[in-house]
Amino acid sequence: MIDHVGFPVSDFARSRAFYAAALAPLGYSVIMEFGPEETDMGHAAAGFGRDGKPDFWIGGEGGLTGVLHVALAAPDRATVDAFHAAALAAGGRDNGGPGLRPHYHPTYYAAFVLDPDGHNIEAVCHAPA
């Protein structure tokens, strides 16, 4: 079970703005944020979540050398569509528009975007239409 995930980004302010917009359709917002002086590593960090629990963190330590894939659960297909539109409007790059991916399973409905660092961020709904 994953309690939370965090990863470094190359430009904290740019990525914070991207995720604030892209995750809003999923009900996520910034729950906690720390300046460089408040962290052990001396870099800013922001925790996104809902219902008061930050479970998706970014930090300003600098980008990764490889790409990360994170899939976030969406309650319905309309939310997957809204995530994709919001992420593109926030500067993300399309990596697979909203639609069924029946090769995963018959009701796997997902959309994929690349964040400012090229990480593959997915919203997925497993419920039938």
Side-chain angles (χ1 to χ4, degrees), residues 7-13 42-46 58-63:
F7 56 95
V9 296
S10 63
D11 182 327
F12 181 78
H43 301 284
I58 60 169
E61 297 92 338

Side-chain angles (χ1 to χ4, degrees), residues 25-85:
L26 298 171
Y28 271 53
S29 63
V30 175
I31 302 292
M32 298 180 88
E33 187 164 2
F34 301 102
E37 68 284 352
E38 300 174 287
T39 66
D40 294 334
M41 300 300 291
H43 301 284
F48 298 82
R50 63 177 163 222
D51 301 324
K53 171 140 180 5
D55 55 23
F56 186 89
W57 287 84
I58 60 169
E61 297 92 338
L64 298 171
T65 57
V67 295
L68 177 74
H69 176 157
V70 176
L72 302 166
D76 52 48
R77 294 176 181 191
T79 302
V80 171
D81 297 347
F83 157 80
H84 188 258

